[in-house]
Amino acid sequence: MTYRVCLVCMGNICRSPMAEIVLRHTLNERGLGERVTVESAGTGGWHVGDPMDERALAILAQHGYDGTVHRARQFTRDWFARYDLVLAMDRDNQVTLRRLAPPDVEVRLFRSFDPAAPPEAEVPDPYYGGREGFEEVLALVEAASEGVAKHIADEIG
């Protein structure tokens, strides 16, 4: 059985694809890559089919990650049945996802898996800023990915 995770931000070109690439890498390092599928999507459809933001790609590449195959997608209501875990990058997207979700589905914040993060911590949107914002997102995503990987390992045994 494959455990399936979807990471969600606004347009699926910055935060959630960065988190997808990093989480997949983290899971592979822990020997879980064959048992877990990691995907990402956006709550909005503006960028569907587009590659990852060039700044996000550059930061990932500088840290040894490859995001070149990513293409943006939009999360839809019927996708909840596909995933074991749906994680939002921020509260706005969490609210949007909760409106779409069946009543029995929990949508958590991605950073809720980082033990060093304060309650309700978000991954900020770097889109309208500079390089520093993308560096910050990568650091936050790497920290939370460790906790997500531990959670998944506990879930799948």
Side-chain angles (χ1 to χ4, degrees):
M1 182 178 120
T2 300
Y3 191 90
R4 296 180 53 106
V5 181
C6 191
L7 310 166
V8 185
C9 68
M10 188 75 67
N12 193 221
I13 60 168
C14 297
R15 296 172 289 173
S16 61
M18 289 177 76
E20 173 188 350
I21 300 301
V22 171
L23 179 58
R24 188 176 296 127
H25 174 82
T26 303
L27 291 165
N28 284 334
E29 282 188 332
R30 280 149 191 68
L32 298 169
E34 297 287 323
R35 300 175 64 197
V36 183
T37 299
V38 182
E39 299 176 351
S40 65
T43 55
W46 315 277
H47 298 289
V48 169
D50 291 347
M52 193 182 308
D53 184 285
E54 289 181 12
R55 298 164 296 173
L57 275 172
I59 295 299
L60 286 173
Q62 288 171 356
H63 292 271
Y65 301 105
D66 180 8
T68 57
V69 300
H70 174 77
R71 293 297 175 266
R73 304 176 319 148
Q74 184 176 8
F75 195 97
T76 60
R77 180 184 313 267
D78 60 316
W79 286 22
F80 283 104
R82 293 190 205 173
Y83 297 105
D84 299 292
L85 186 61
V86 176
L87 301 175
M89 295 293 115
D90 61 35
R91 286 185 294 280
D92 287 343
N93 286 296
Q94 183 184 34
V95 167
T96 299
L97 288 166
R98 283 181 174 161
R99 282 190 205 123
L100 293 173
D104 61 331
V105 172
E106 180 184 21
V107 177
R108 291 183 63 181
L109 288 171
F110 184 72
R111 288 196 62 207
S112 69
F113 291 92
D114 179 354
E120 299 296 310
E122 301 176 295
V123 177
D125 190 348
Y127 186 79
Y128 293 105
R131 174 183 174 78
E132 312 79 38
F134 288 88
E135 287 281 4
E136 177 187 14
V137 166
L138 181 59
L140 296 174
V141 160
E142 286 178 331
S145 289
E146 295 294 332
V148 175
K150 182 183 179 322
H151 171 80
I152 292 170
D154 292 345
E155 286 284 306
I156 63 178

